Amino acid sequence: MNRSKPHTLGVALACLSLTLAAGAVTPPAAAPDTGGMLGFTASGAAQQHQLEQRFDSMLSASEIRGWLKQMSSAPNQVGSPHDKANAEWMLAQFKQWGWDAHIETFDVLYPTPIEESVELVAPTTFKATLHEPPIKGDPSSALPGVLPPYNVYGADGDVTGELVYVNYGMPEDYKELARLGVSVKGKIVIVRYGGGWRGLKPELAYEHGAIGCLIYSDPRDDGYFTGDPYPVGPTRPPEGVQRGSVAKMQLYPGDPTTPGYGSVPGAKHVPVKDAKTILKIPVLPISYADATPLLRAMGGPDAPESWRGALPFTYHVGAGPAKVHMVVKSDWSLKPLYDVIAKLPGSSAADQWVLRGNHHDGWVFGAFDPLAGMVTELAEAKAMGALYKQGWKPKRTIVYASWDGEEPGLLGSTEWAETHAKELQQKAVLYVNSDTNGRGILFAGGSHSLQHLVNQVAAGVTDPETQVSVQRRQRAFLGVHAAQKGASPTLKENAKLAGAGGDIPIAPLGSGSDYSAFLEHLGVATLDLGFGGEANQGGVYHSRYDDFDHFDRFGDPGFQYAVALAKVAGHIVLRAANAEVLPMRFGDFSATLDRYVKQLHKQADSARKDAEAQHKLLDASAYKLAADPLHPVAPPERLSEVPKIDFAPLDTAAKQLKASAQAYANAYGARVAKGLDIPAAQLAQVNQLMGSMERRLLDQQGLPGRPWYKNMIQAPGELTGYAPKTIPAVHEALDARDWERADKYAAVTAKVLDNYRAQLDQLTALLQK
């Protein structure tokens, strides 16, 4: 699972476009660059550079490759023998490298398949294979012990119904289906992957009355339309199936039966029927080979043009005459998780923790997802352990974690974070996450106060393919794509600013990887990192074919981007652990916030104009007159009128924060000019306040309808899943056309920002002493 998986060129561009759309390049006036390494004195920066050079010299691509081959040598889903063996092997490695390490176990609900079947029973018959055969020339794909494809946390069921094709199965698709006069009530839907998170597809189908859901990978999005299928190329072969969780993680991640508290051995588990994130209908993933006979047998209206995939026949929406019988029966027992936790104790600021994490469980072999990121983290840990044995001691405690159970729903990280919530909110100052890793462009998302830290580190790491800095390659990538036909005005504007030498902003985060509990529940400053965009590794995402042989050929040949990620993530961890003052710049957050608030204004204005335009068309019977009488399409439902939204509290809060961020930047700059000469007790206060700044962005009541998510600036969208919503309580109220809720949460979010500003003013006062 990952915030941007699969990593294709298009996704890399989308991520970087989102980054730029999310926040303009920070103007120098808002956060002046002090000209040196953020958080360090000149002498401290020189020592830090030397330390990072020693760290880099200890990273070995061939060793990383060997670890990946070993760790992906058997299926390693939750509860498998190899999952436990990997955890125990990593524990031994951490200890050998000098870390204080242990395994923490959790007992979690993790259903696995007992029986699955999909049969076409009318107008012809066909039985889906629900199987991924080994690929000739790929010995890894023939390894034994592979479970059949499944979607975890869908319901058990034995249902029969006519098929309805619902495109990507998103809200707009159901509106279009209604205009075609087709209902899914009492039917089984077939939906293609893409357009939104997989878990929303069966949930929305259930809300519209469906009794079952089949999710397939259409080759237009994920197969031969995007490139040569495996084994000739990297894309999904006809029998490839994307497994995945369908839990309602937009409510809360983690074990569905221990909401808000850790599922430690002996913890109380709510009954499965009462678990709010478990779905009510059966769900199965299928290949496009299995989907073809089902879709070909369908009748009803032709699918709208934008709904048509790349299979060689006309797409119809149904309902029927295709009728399907599907069965799902699962083992709903608890399974053990094995989180590996390792520490290097700090010296002068041991009660401040810098955390780093990646998960080790996969759906099958998991070479790309997640082990390409996991072995990179191990390389960092080995190098830091060697430095520690040579006498280096970090100021702050470093905690490295290998999470279990990420794939079914961020289980290992969430249960650990909920179990240790109080201590983490007292001590954690940074969490650095990775997940998958390929080759290409650096993606960075997370807390906007960390933007300059990421840029400084990226400017100092060499891109393996071009031999320029990672940051320079990011700039070039943005500039080229902003110049292409169809590039958005926002992308063009911001790529120009970034190209002029400003920082490349980091993206907001939604969900899909292990940062959620830290950023969105506990308020720990967070980064999510990874390279991608060139390997098209997504073609085997969550399938049997995500194995060592595929990754070795297509993912990161030579494993040089594994080394590059180890450098980027390792340098960030080392700087955060060693800095005199935590390396954060709050002007970057303020500038990004300004952009988010402007986006809300534009969203409301656009909704108002769209409603007015639609009303004119409806009142003139334009939709009826324009329709083809032989293929009738009903007019759309009338949009509600948009009143004036009271954004004044947010506008004021953003303006005041900008002034406070400028005052802080000036005070910090004056301190840097004096060599960061701050008395020890005062310095401890400064770092304590800085380390807890992100927690000021939480509201303890949480987001409306989903209180587990408390961060009022970035969160996964209720109807987007992985994708983020910024200022989410207001943004989603506008999406829902709930104007009173938008007014209410504009004021709530403004109060949160005022609390953030008040603590920033405290910081400024300390620096001015």
Side-chain angles (χ1 to χ4, degrees):
M1 197 182 298
N2 192 255
R3 82 272 155 188
S4 58
K5 298 188 300 195
H7 272 192
T8 63
L9 185 66
V11 171
L13 176 60
C15 290
L16 288 170
S17 299
L18 175 62
T19 298
L20 290 176
V25 172
T26 306
D33 192 337
T34 59
M37 185 183 291
L38 190 63
F40 289 83
T41 62
S43 61
Q47 292 173 8
Q48 182 67 19
H49 277 303
Q50 291 176 359
L51 180 73
E52 291 171 8
Q53 289 171 354
R54 290 165 58 199
F55 171 86
D56 292 352
S57 70
M58 298 174 183
L59 302 173
S60 166
S62 62
E63 188 170 47
I64 292 171
R65 182 180 185 272
W67 291 339
L68 183 70
K69 188 171 185 179
Q70 173 184 331
M71 294 187 74
S72 63
S73 62
N76 62 353
Q77 74 278 357
V78 169
S80 67
H82 194 60
D83 183 53
K84 182 180 181 183
N86 275 343
E88 292 174 339
W89 176 79
M90 286 187 289
L91 175 65
Q93 297 304 303
F94 275 114
K95 288 183 175 180
Q96 180 183 330
W97 298 333
W99 293 70
D100 178 11
H102 66 281
I103 288 177
E104 289 194 37
T105 60
F106 299 92
D107 293 332
V108 298
L109 180 71
Y110 181 73
T112 50
I114 295 174
E115 179 185 358
E116 299 178 344
S117 69
V118 174
E119 295 182 79
L120 180 67
V121 297
T124 58
T125 60
F126 164 76
K127 186 168 184 177
T129 64
L130 305 181
H131 173 66
E132 295 173 304
I135 292 282
K136 186 178 180 180
D138 179 354
S140 296
S141 68
L143 292 169
V146 177
L147 292 177
Y150 60 106
N151 286 128
V152 72
Y153 300 129
D156 283 358
D158 184 333
V159 296
T160 301
E162 290 182 316
L163 271 185
V164 177
Y165 173 56
V166 294
N167 191 30
Y168 294 119
M170 293 293 106
E172 292 302 316
D173 295 321
Y174 283 97
K175 292 178 183 178
E176 186 69 19
L177 205 63
R179 295 185 65 194
L180 292 170
V182 177
S183 170
V184 303
K185 189 172 183 179
K187 310 296 194 300
I188 294 173
V189 303
I190 183 167
V191 55
R192 56 175 167 159
Y193 274 111
W197 183 59
R198 82 178 71 79
L200 294 170
K201 301 172 187 290
E203 173 63 15
L204 289 170
Y206 168 73
E207 290 177 2
H208 286 83
I211 59 174
C213 179
L214 300 173
I215 314 177
Y216 81 102
S217 301
D218 196 284
R220 176 172 287 275
D221 310 299
D222 189 10
Y224 55 74
F225 194 82
T226 65
D228 285 325
Y230 192 53
V232 176
T235 73
R236 193 173 300 274
E239 299 83 5
V241 183
Q242 184 190 143
R243 296 155 177 81
S245 177
V246 291
K248 291 191 282 186
M249 286 194 295
Q250 64 271 33
L251 295 181
Y252 59 86
D255 185 338
T257 60
T258 58
Y261 58 93
S263 46
V264 296
K268 180 182 178 181
H269 290 256
V270 303
V272 171
K273 65 180 179 62
D274 297 330
K276 294 180 180 180
T277 59
I278 295 176
L279 301 190
K280 304 299 185 183
I281 61 173
V283 191
L284 280 176
I286 61 175
S287 65
Y288 59 86
D290 277 343
T292 294
L294 308 182
L295 291 165
R296 195 192 295 271
M298 295 182 68
D302 291 353
E305 185 174 352
S306 62
W307 289 32
R308 300 168 193 170
L311 294 171
F313 48 78
T314 302
Y315 285 63
H316 295 273
V317 299
K323 182 180 286 189
V324 164
H325 175 218
M326 68 180 293
V327 176
V328 178
K329 183 179 179 182
S330 306
D331 168 12
W332 289 85
S333 63
L334 300 181
K335 310 288 194 304
L337 293 184
Y338 305 98
D339 285 350
V340 185
I341 308 297
K343 291 183 181 180
L344 286 180
S347 54
S348 59
D351 281 343
Q352 287 198 314
W353 291 1
V354 177
L355 298 104
R356 169 81 170 94
N358 202 103
H359 72 102
H360 64 82
D361 67 295
W363 282 108
V364 189
F365 305 112
F368 167 62
D369 180 14
L371 296 176
M374 187 66 251
V375 293
T376 293
E377 183 183 324
L378 292 177
E380 300 162 29
K382 181 178 181 182
M384 289 183 195
L387 292 172
Y388 194 82
K389 288 180 178 179
Q390 293 171 8
W392 164 73
K393 298 292 185 291
K395 287 184 173 67
R396 298 175 183 87
T397 295
I398 299 175
V399 181
Y400 265 48
S402 177
W403 309 117
D404 200 356
E406 189 268 4
E407 292 296 357
L410 320 183
L411 305 188
S413 57
T414 300
E415 302 311 316
W416 189 82
E418 289 175 344
T419 299
H420 300 280
K422 184 176 180 180
E423 186 174 28
L424 287 168
Q425 289 197 311
Q426 291 172 345
K427 297 179 178 179
V429 298
L430 173 65
Y431 174 69
V432 179
N433 188 71
S434 60
D435 196 320
T436 62
N437 193 56
R439 59 185 178 87
I441 311 301
L442 176 67
F443 168 87
S447 303
H448 301 296
S449 58
L450 301 171
Q451 174 180 298
H452 195 57
L453 169 63
V454 173
N455 274 263
Q456 285 196 328
V457 167
V461 174
T462 300
D463 174 73
E465 291 179 321
T466 62
Q467 299 304 305
V468 301
S469 76
V470 165
Q471 185 197 49
R472 183 178 172 188
R473 193 166 188 214
Q474 284 179 299
R475 290 192 202 286
F477 184 87
L478 288 168
V480 167
H481 287 277
Q484 291 181 353
K485 184 178 180 180
S488 70
T490 301
L491 176 60
K492 291 180 179 180
E493 174 191 357
N494 287 285
K496 181 178 179 181
L497 290 170
D503 276 353
I504 297 172
I506 62 176
L509 293 176
S511 187
S513 197
D514 287 305
Y515 52 75
S516 278
F518 299 95
L519 176 66
E520 294 153 351
H521 186 63
L522 298 180
V524 177
T526 294
L527 287 171
D528 186 38
L529 305 168
F531 285 89
E534 294 175 341
N536 207 356
Q537 196 71 18
V540 294
Y541 173 61
H542 286 191
S543 79
R544 180 181 194 142
Y545 311 121
D546 178 8
D547 60 24
F548 176 78
D549 292 279
H550 188 285
F551 189 83
D552 201 31
R553 284 183 61 194
F554 298 110
D556 182 15
F559 286 76
Q560 291 303 312
Y561 277 96
V563 173
L565 178 59
K567 290 178 180 179
V568 172
H571 292 188
I572 287 171
V573 169
L574 289 171
R575 292 190 189 187
N578 286 343
E580 291 292 326
V581 175
L582 283 167
M584 299 175 175
R585 278 201 337 189
F586 303 106
D588 297 331
F589 169 68
S590 174
T592 305
L593 177 70
D594 284 347
R595 175 60 60 90
Y596 292 163
V597 173
K598 289 176 183 177
Q599 287 174 349
L600 293 177
H601 282 276
K602 290 180 180 179
Q603 184 181 358
D605 292 343
S606 178
R608 186 176 297 107
K609 291 176 183 177
D610 289 347
E612 291 170 353
Q614 187 219 46
H615 294 172
K616 289 180 181 179
L617 292 172
L618 286 170
D619 294 343
S621 299
Y623 292 99
K624 182 178 179 180
L625 295 172
D628 181 349
L630 299 180
H631 301 281
V633 177
E637 184 178 346
R638 191 178 187 91
L639 295 171
S640 61
E641 294 184 354
V642 183
K644 178 177 173 58
I645 309 298
D646 186 9
F647 291 127
L650 267 178
D651 293 337
T652 300
K655 182 178 180 180
Q656 291 176 336
L657 178 59
K658 185 175 183 178
S660 290
Q662 179 67 69
Y664 168 82
N666 293 339
Y668 176 77
R671 279 293 188 178
V672 169
K674 297 177 181 178
L676 286 176
D677 183 18
I678 305 173
Q682 185 178 335
L683 181 62
Q685 287 182 283
V686 166
N687 281 315
Q688 190 278 326
L689 288 173
M690 292 187 77
S692 61
M693 282 296 295
E694 197 77 16
R695 290 191 261 296
R696 302 288 79 77
L697 297 177
L698 304 184
D699 181 80
Q700 291 309 310
Q701 301 302 310
L703 297 180
R706 44 195 189 126
W708 189 90
Y709 291 98
K710 301 182 184 300
N711 192 310
M712 303 303 285
I713 303 302
Q714 48 186 310
E718 193 167 13
L719 291 175
T720 60
Y722 287 168
K725 289 286 187 178
T726 56
I727 314 185
V730 182
H731 197 145
E732 294 196 312
L734 296 177
D735 290 342
R737 309 183 77 82
D738 188 337
W739 316 123
E740 289 185 7
R741 174 153 55 104
D743 284 343
K744 175 182 176 180
Y745 279 94
V748 170
T749 305
K751 184 177 180 180
V752 167
L753 290 169
D754 288 342
N755 292 338
Y756 183 92
R757 175 175 55 83
Q759 183 157 314
L760 183 58
D761 289 343
Q762 285 182 264
L763 257 175
T764 302
L766 274 173
L767 289 173
Q768 289 173 336
K769 282 186 178 179

